[in-house]
Amino acid sequence: MNFQNIIFELNQYWAEQGCVVMQPYDMEVGAGTFHTATFLAAVGPEPIATAYVQPSRRPTDGRYGDNPNRTQRYFQYQVIIKPSPDDFQDLYLGSLKRLGIDFLNADVRFVEDDWESPTLGAWGLGWEIWLNGTEVSQFTYFQQVGGLNCRPVTGEITYGLERLAMYIQGVDSIYDLRWNQDYSYGDIYHQNEVEMSKYNFELADVDELFHQFDFFEQQSLKMSEQDLPLPSYEMVLKASHTFNLLDARHAISVTERARYIGRVRNMAKAVAQSYYESREKLGFPRGQSKEV
Amino acid sequence: MSNTQPFLFEIGTEELPPKSLHKLAVALEKELIAQLKKQKLIDNAADSRIYATPRRLAVFLDRVAIKQPDQVVDRRGPALKQAYDEQGQPTQAAIGFAKSVGFDVQQLQTQKSDKGEWLFCQVNQPGQAAQVLLPDCVDNALKALPIPKRMRWGNLEAEFIRPVKWVILLLGDEVIETQILSVKSDRFTQGHRFHAIRKLRLRNANEYESLLEQEGMVVADFARRRQEILTSITELAAEKDAQVLLDNALLDEVTGLVELPVALLGNIDQEFMQLPQEVLISSMQDHQKYFPLADQQGAMLPYFITVSNIRSKDDQSIIDGNERVLKARLSDANFFWETDRKTPLADYHPALCNVLFQEKLGSLADKVDRIKKIVVVLAQKLNVDTTEGCRAAQLCKLDLVTSMVGEFPELQGIMGKYYALNDGESETVANAIEQHYWPKFAGDKIPSIPAARVLAIADKVDTICGLFTIDQIPSGDRDPFALRRAGLGLMRILIEGQIDLDIPWVIAESLTNFDLDINANTGDEVYHFVFDRLRTYYQSQGIDTRVYQAVMQVKPESPLDFDKRLKAVAEFSQLESAESLIEANKRINNLLQKTANHSTGVDEKLLQQAQEKALFKQLQIVIKSTSSLLQENHYADLLNQLSSLKQPIDDFFDHVMVMDENMDKRQNRLAMLSNVQQLFRQVADVSYLK
């Protein structure tokens, strides 16, 4: 099964389970969790069921296209359901089965992995899922997001699409993955890895990035004060990615690192609070139309 | 107990944390037994078994009473004052109480204690059925489990370590109907996640283990599964003439990760075998939960064993997958190993300025500067080579900024050693870098060479003094800088390494290195903190805490000296004469405490009674014979000598009135007792042994 077919199958499968199949958030993010459909949807009581691909950027993981397992950008497949359903694990296993994985053949395991995102003020409990020893997914029951307790609890599944595809296709390098019948992952993205690694590690303008971080922070807090959580949140995303770039440039010492993370967390908390209030004002409408 | 039934409680969950699984099962057994004992549903004859797999915890009790015994219970009513009015007539309170227990007021008794008098009676309470009591027993036991983080799931309010899927309460062949953590109890369990898909119906509590094994494909008994894994990995290793480098914690963890263990052997590419052994082990053990193999001499072999959770139709593809993951990890490690070594260790120093030790205490580079200062004075005092000590101090934290330690933090110190050797540093310097973190955990070895000991002492003293200076003192569960472990490590190095070092001196040296206002008490607080570590240290060696306290009273400055005193006192406490000498010391302490301001000068002319003369004479002998023993710290011999005072002291107290009306005589006798006290306190305050 080629890479794009894996995405098609997952979309189809989760659509059948009642998920809204969404598109990626159109900004640089470190993980699918940063998509509004996860971070903001986890706030408050309104139900949600959604699935989407999210390109995720981690500048420090860049390896100039030389490492077969690490890249500065990769693709996550994210599933979010609130309240987390009783058969959530089985639904997940069903999706692997759809991708042709035979559980009496491969060794699939749920291995404890508690998740915490200091930048998002969020934590949850769950597992990484091992497929013959390789971590191919993460599975989390959110307990807190943006400093707010999750009631009800949101369940999150994050597939590492490249890892999963490498197992399914039996290849040893990301770049050898078949994207479709004609092109490999490397054909499409190798040059991007080389150039972006060079930019992230060597060329990104540090002074300007520091300046931008301050600007995004200021904008974010201002928008939260004006009860505009969505624009405010976009500024959080920009600030977070700017921080990641500075980190890749080794421009932030360990002392300052914790402080910068704290600044992003404060923005994220303000957004979560402001978003909760805005939904409350509307009477938490999402999902109510279903009843009618 | 008559009329019992076997009882089974199982809680089925999504996958539980493997490291704490066994501990959790043991705690569940303990709490459940305590609950059932409290309800008198079991006695000591009951046998229990525990089961724990990734998806279940269970306790089986072979005989639980189906009904509580009838009991006579004490009921206490109002105090007598409230029970009768001034005319002696029963009050409403008394009448109400009588009614509640089914008696007339006249039939009630009174009960008296030093706290007062009450109305009182005994009532018969018929025993309740186990059916009624068991749900609460289970509930309470679950609430008492030591779970660090409880979670919620779905839209439920229930909280547990992981979501709960099913619950079984079976007494004999009957389901005890209840709701536990939002799940209704029943008799259905589940077998292996992939090998046994349908639910398994339990006819009775007894068939639990066998049904799970035969139809569920699950080895539910933790200990048995652990043994099965151990046997199969040992056999698999033997096929390659190898031994398993066994880590018991890993074996427990792996046992907690599988319900149906199948051990498989994989290969490691030869190109990775040049990596330091610790890197190989860390990659396999900590990250992938694999067992590493070595030849009979202990040299690493290019194999690993993984324990899968299925009987696969295709073992080879599982092995291939695991080999591929390990290869990716080791490729990374190889890259770090090659890159890190391109820069000499010493050249990493500028990067250390950016690594924070603690906000108010500066960077790790600052810490290294302070450590160096302590190393210089310590090395001189202890006759250790200063040059090598300082070199090791300069290099000891630098591996923290290498890529390898960034990825494998558990290799701190170890990589420092390898990189130092690679740069041509001496063996001593390299080993000191590695060993200055020792002891790493309770019961771990202490550094073996003098340079490492000096460096370890300096590092630990600096950490403790620094954090005490800024008031970051451990309390309760909070000890983020692991100061208790550092303190115990420090004391163990000094005692077990036979290093005679005065703690107040080294604390004072360390405190001068901080550019901060130092509280006048800080030195004293650190002294007490580190000596307080010895309490549990000696407890775990089976030494009575009273012995520790007796020595602590005289505030020895050197832990090694403390240790000698403690052993002497422990020996003394076993002597036949000890009991009355301890008693006498206690008496003397009391007397002297009441009568402040007395000298130790005894006027021989004032001595009249034979017993006081005899004590005086023996005192002179003992003072003479012990002075050289004290100088050489022969505390055991010293206490032995002092035991000759037993008879004279006993006679003295039997016949001589210390608090004589004549003040001169009284002072003289007190002075003599003061001599006795001082003699003992040369070693310890033995009155604490009482």
Side-chain angles (χ1 to χ4, degrees):
Chain A
M1 191 181 292
N2 63 41
F3 198 82
Q4 67 186 26
N5 278 336
I6 291 174
I7 295 174
F8 299 156
E9 286 296 334
L10 288 174
N11 277 340
Q12 190 58 40
Y13 177 83
W14 287 106
E16 286 163 19
Q17 311 308 322
C19 285
V20 174
V21 176
M22 290 180 76
Q23 301 304 316
Y25 208 73
D26 57 337
M27 291 172 64
E28 303 103 326
V29 295
T33 311
F34 284 82
H35 195 302
T36 48
T38 296
F39 179 76
L40 291 180
V43 170
E46 296 166 280
I48 187 164
T50 184
Y52 55 89
V53 175
Q54 181 63 55
S56 303
R57 299 207 187 198
R58 307 233 168 134
T60 49
D61 280 351
R63 293 291 183 271
Y64 296 86
D66 291 339
N67 186 305
N69 298 292
R70 280 203 187 188
T71 52
Q72 56 83 45
R73 190 191 57 180
Y74 61 103
F75 297 93
Q76 292 190 341
Y77 192 92
Q78 180 91 346
V79 178
I80 288 295
I81 305 183
K82 176 167 76 170
S84 64
D86 200 35
D87 56 351
F88 203 27
Q89 283 188 321
D90 290 332
L91 288 177
Y92 168 74
L93 291 171
S95 73
L96 294 189
K97 205 167 172 187
R98 177 73 73 96
L99 298 175
I101 291 166
D102 177 355
F103 304 123
L104 292 180
N105 208 333
D107 182 28
V108 175
R109 267 184 284 163
F110 291 80
V111 180
E112 178 196 18
D113 184 33
D114 298 344
W115 171 80
E116 192 180 359
S117 168
T119 40
L120 291 180
W123 68 276
L125 298 182
W127 309 272
E128 45 185 54
I129 287 86
W130 283 12
L131 182 55
N132 292 345
T134 301
E135 178 193 348
V136 292
S137 303
Q138 282 198 358
F139 204 110
T140 308
Y141 291 98
F142 285 176
Q143 303 294 302
Q144 219 178 47
V145 158
L148 303 175
N149 284 333
C150 298
R151 284 175 196 272
V153 167
T154 297
E156 176 196 58
I157 298 168
T158 305
Y159 301 76
L161 284 174
E162 287 84 351
R163 298 259 190 96
L164 198 55
M166 282 164 81
Y167 169 81
I168 291 170
Q169 299 184 14
V171 300
D172 287 342
S173 167
I174 288 176
Y175 301 108
D176 292 339
L177 285 170
R178 299 310 311 167
W179 191 280
N180 72 354
Q181 65 278 17
D182 299 323
Y183 295 99
S184 73
Y185 194 103
D187 291 337
I188 303 176
Y189 287 123
H190 187 266
Q191 185 182 350
N192 183 61
E193 280 304 311
V194 179
E195 290 189 13
M196 290 310 292
S197 295
K198 188 155 180 75
Y199 173 76
N200 295 339
F201 286 128
E202 301 170 33
L203 300 172
D205 187 319
V206 170
D207 290 342
E208 180 56 23
L209 289 171
F210 274 122
H211 174 237
Q212 287 185 5
F213 184 93
D214 292 344
F215 172 73
F216 295 140
E217 180 186 41
Q218 175 212 328
Q219 287 283 295
S220 172
L221 295 175
K222 205 168 176 179
M223 293 306 110
S224 279
E225 272 170 29
Q226 309 220 356
D227 300 334
L228 292 171
L230 296 173
S232 175
Y233 186 60
E234 294 207 339
M235 296 302 131
V236 175
L237 298 182
K238 284 175 185 283
S240 174
H241 181 63
T242 307
F243 165 78
N244 289 341
L245 281 174
L246 285 164
D247 204 21
R249 295 284 281 121
H250 293 289
I252 296 182
S253 74
V254 177
T255 330
E256 289 169 341
R257 206 167 186 281
R259 277 219 346 261
Y260 273 88
I261 290 174
R263 285 166 73 181
V264 180
R265 182 169 55 242
N266 283 341
M267 292 179 239
K269 279 186 172 176
V271 169
Q273 189 59 44
S274 159
Y275 181 75
Y276 182 90
E277 284 160 11
S278 71
R279 298 304 294 177
E280 194 176 32
K281 252 181 232 158
L282 297 172
F284 295 121
R286 197 172 60 228
Q288 283 183 10
S289 58
K290 245 202 303 199
E291 318 285 324
V292 183
Chain B
M1 276 186 182
S2 60
N3 232 342
T4 64
Q5 285 286 348
F7 173 64
L8 172 77
F9 167 61
E10 183 192 48
I11 184 163
T13 64
E14 296 182 357
E15 278 75 356
L16 296 162
K19 283 184 190 163
S20 50
L21 182 63
H22 188 245
K23 203 179 77 186
L24 215 55
V26 171
L28 179 61
E29 178 191 38
K30 191 186 113 206
E31 298 296 344
L32 196 58
I33 287 179
Q35 289 292 330
L36 266 69
K37 276 201 172 144
K38 201 166 128 197
Q39 297 296 352
K40 300 196 164 29
L41 289 173
I42 54 170
D43 57 25
N44 289 328
D47 204 12
S48 67
R49 253 170 284 159
I50 54 175
Y51 300 95
T53 79
R55 296 212 295 159
R56 74 200 73 233
L57 293 169
V59 177
F60 173 85
L61 292 156
D62 72 338
R63 54 198 108 156
V64 170
I66 57 170
K67 181 176 154 293
Q68 252 180 345
D70 296 343
Q71 294 173 65
V72 176
V73 288
D74 294 347
R75 293 286 303 271
R76 192 200 267 188
L80 277 196
K81 271 186 213 153
Q82 273 90 50
Y84 297 100
D85 63 18
E86 283 157 16
Q87 284 77 45
Q89 294 302 310
T91 61
Q92 275 310 315
I95 296 164
F97 171 68
K99 213 174 198 175
S100 76
V101 292
F103 286 108
D104 291 333
V105 177
Q106 294 77 10
Q107 290 171 295
L108 297 173
Q109 300 164 278
T110 58
Q111 194 186 38
K112 201 172 172 180
S113 85
D114 51 1
K115 296 209 179 80
E117 285 182 275
W118 307 269
L119 288 182
F120 166 83
C121 72
Q122 290 189 315
V123 291
N124 284 320
Q125 185 177 292
Q128 286 183 281
Q131 295 271 16
V132 179
L133 296 168
L134 283 168
D136 274 349
C137 290
V138 167
D139 233 16
N140 293 336
L142 290 173
K143 278 189 193 126
L145 290 182
I147 301 173
K149 272 187 189 168
R150 288 179 189 251
M151 63 169 281
R152 286 174 291 105
W153 57 95
N155 49 15
L156 304 172
E157 284 304 313
E159 288 192 350
F160 199 54
I161 188 161
R162 284 293 181 276
V164 178
K165 310 306 289 184
W166 72 88
V167 169
I168 296 177
L169 274 86
L170 268 183
L171 186 62
D173 55 11
E174 273 186 58
V175 174
I176 311 258
E177 308 262 351
T178 182
Q179 184 123 342
I180 302 281
L181 296 166
S182 303
V183 176
K184 204 174 160 306
S185 62
D186 209 327
R187 61 170 75 241
F188 292 96
T189 184
Q190 288 186 23
H192 190 280
R193 197 185 258 293
F194 303 120
H195 280 299
I197 297 170
R198 69 185 177 82
K199 287 181 176 178
L200 302 174
R201 184 177 185 279
L202 283 173
R203 277 165 306 180
N204 57 58
N206 277 320
E207 68 173 0
Y208 176 70
E209 185 173 355
S210 58
L211 187 76
L212 266 181
E213 180 158 14
Q214 283 151 22
E215 293 187 35
M217 300 274 279
V218 168
V219 185
D221 183 329
F222 187 93
R224 229 190 83 200
R225 206 164 63 250
R226 188 180 192 276
Q227 186 55 48
E228 273 185 22
I229 294 171
L230 183 59
T231 308
S232 57
I233 61 176
T234 311
E235 283 171 7
L236 211 49
E239 286 174 22
K240 296 282 176 189
D241 258 338
Q243 54 164 329
V244 178
L245 293 177
L246 192 69
D247 178 304
N248 279 313
L250 178 68
L251 181 57
D252 280 344
E253 191 180 353
V254 169
T255 309
L257 276 168
V258 292
E259 297 202 299
L260 179 66
V262 178
L264 301 168
L265 183 119
N267 292 289
I268 303 171
D269 281 358
Q270 201 58 46
E271 60 168 314
F272 300 121
M273 297 312 289
Q274 44 100 19
L275 281 167
Q277 161 165 338
E278 292 89 342
V279 174
L280 290 168
I281 294 178
S282 239
S283 306
M284 287 187 242
Q285 216 164 260
D286 301 346
H287 296 258
Q288 292 299 131
K289 326 291 179 205
Y290 299 157
F291 295 95
L293 300 192
D295 65 19
Q296 302 306 334
Q297 283 71 47
M300 299 285 294
L301 289 171
Y303 310 112
F304 66 90
I305 296 176
T306 180
V307 179
S308 81
N309 190 34
I310 50 164
R311 285 201 192 125
S312 174
K313 292 174 282 186
D314 187 4
D315 281 347
Q316 194 51 48
S317 79
I318 297 182
I319 293 170
D320 288 348
N322 281 285
E323 283 176 353
R324 204 175 293 147
V325 193
L326 186 61
K327 186 176 170 185
R329 279 204 185 281
L330 292 177
S331 303
D332 253 3
N334 222 2
F335 174 76
F336 299 143
W337 174 240
E338 297 299 336
T339 322
D340 285 347
R341 287 186 306 162
K342 284 181 190 153
T343 311
L345 194 55
D347 291 1
Y348 284 95
H349 189 262
L352 215 54
C353 304
N354 277 333
V355 183
L356 189 70
F357 171 59
Q358 202 281 340
E359 212 180 328
K360 291 179 185 156
L361 300 174
S363 68
L364 277 177
D366 297 327
K367 185 175 191 356
V368 164
D369 286 342
R370 294 193 301 265
I371 294 176
K372 263 167 37 188
K373 288 183 189 158
I374 307 177
V375 164
V376 171
V377 289
L378 260 182
Q380 280 164 357
K381 201 175 181 80
L382 302 175
N383 262 332
V384 177
D385 184 85
T386 319
T387 327
E388 285 198 308
C390 280
R391 185 67 185 160
Q394 174 69 22
L395 301 177
C396 71
K397 301 295 180 192
L398 292 175
D399 66 353
L400 294 175
V401 286
T402 62
S403 317
M404 186 76 91
V405 177
E407 188 73 15
F408 298 88
E410 65 275 19
L411 295 180
Q412 63 175 17
I414 294 167
M415 293 322 298
K417 175 185 73 177
Y418 282 109
Y419 292 149
L421 287 173
N422 183 62
D423 297 343
E425 304 286 348
S426 73
E427 290 268 341
T428 307
V429 168
N431 285 325
I433 293 171
E434 179 184 18
Q435 295 182 8
H436 90 281
Y437 288 110
W438 297 2
K440 291 195 209 172
F441 48 87
D444 190 23
K445 53 191 177 298
I446 63 163
S448 64
I449 57 170
R453 287 177 180 174
V454 165
L455 187 54
I457 294 168
D459 184 27
K460 290 170 171 63
V461 167
D462 176 74
T463 301
I464 300 168
C465 286
L467 288 149
F468 268 69
T469 297
I470 56 164
D471 227 22
Q472 291 282 322
I473 298 170
S475 68
D477 287 347
R478 265 189 54 82
D479 184 7
F481 286 85
L483 296 188
R484 293 193 181 105
R485 196 178 68 203
L488 178 59
L490 168 70
M491 300 305 262
R492 281 189 53 208
I493 293 170
L494 295 174
I495 293 170
E496 293 164 30
Q498 299 279 310
I499 300 169
D500 197 13
L501 183 73
D502 285 351
I503 289 290
W505 174 82
V506 74
I507 292 172
E509 285 293 336
S510 168
L511 288 177
T512 59
N513 295 334
F514 297 99
D515 204 11
L516 294 160
D517 289 334
I518 311 269
N519 197 313
N521 298 330
T522 301
D524 214 35
E525 282 170 12
V526 174
Y527 169 87
H528 281 286
F529 175 75
V530 293
F531 273 89
D532 209 34
R533 301 303 106 212
L534 293 180
R535 187 191 296 269
T536 42
Y537 174 66
Y538 287 120
Q539 252 169 19
S540 67
Q541 296 176 19
I543 292 168
D544 198 314
T545 303
R546 285 173 297 184
V547 177
Y548 162 85
Q549 280 169 334
V551 181
M552 206 53 222
Q553 296 313 308
V554 301
K555 290 201 167 50
E557 301 202 321
S558 149
L560 185 62
D561 181 54
F562 186 103
D563 188 65
K564 287 182 181 158
R565 289 168 190 265
L566 176 120
K567 285 178 179 148
V569 173
E571 212 175 285
F572 166 80
S573 68
Q574 304 302 316
L575 295 178
E576 241 177 75
S577 52
E579 198 182 329
S580 73
L581 283 168
I582 291 164
E583 184 60 47
N585 267 281
K586 181 108 199 156
R587 210 161 153 185
I588 293 170
N589 285 356
N590 287 341
L591 278 167
L592 293 177
Q593 215 164 33
K594 273 187 237 157
T595 57
N597 193 22
H598 35 75
S599 71
T600 49
V602 180
D603 183 351
E604 211 181 335
K605 283 173 290 185
L606 285 171
L607 299 174
Q608 289 172 336
Q609 283 173 255
Q611 291 82 2
E612 54 181 336
K613 285 180 180 165
L615 177 58
F616 181 74
K617 194 175 153 207
Q618 191 59 31
L619 268 175
Q620 301 312 305
I621 295 170
V622 172
I623 288 169
K624 210 176 228 169
S625 67
T626 55
S627 68
S628 65
L629 291 174
L630 182 65
Q631 269 163 22
E632 288 161 33
N633 300 343
H634 289 160
Y635 300 118
D637 294 343
L638 200 155
L639 285 173
N640 237 330
Q641 295 280 331
L642 295 189
S643 67
S644 68
L645 289 169
K646 176 195 177 288
Q647 203 53 50
I649 292 175
D650 287 351
D651 294 344
F652 177 86
F653 277 127
D654 283 349
H655 298 97
V656 180
M657 171 77 177
V658 179
M659 305 304 270
D660 198 283
E661 281 177 8
N662 178 323
M663 287 310 279
D664 290 339
K665 280 190 198 169
R666 180 193 287 194
Q667 286 305 338
N668 207 43
R669 284 168 188 164
L670 284 170
M672 197 148 65
L673 293 180
S674 192
N675 273 300
V676 175
Q677 187 191 51
Q678 283 195 356
L679 277 169
F680 275 94
R681 284 205 175 171
Q682 289 171 337
V683 183
D685 185 342
V686 297
S687 73
Y688 274 78
L689 297 175
K690 194 172 152 60

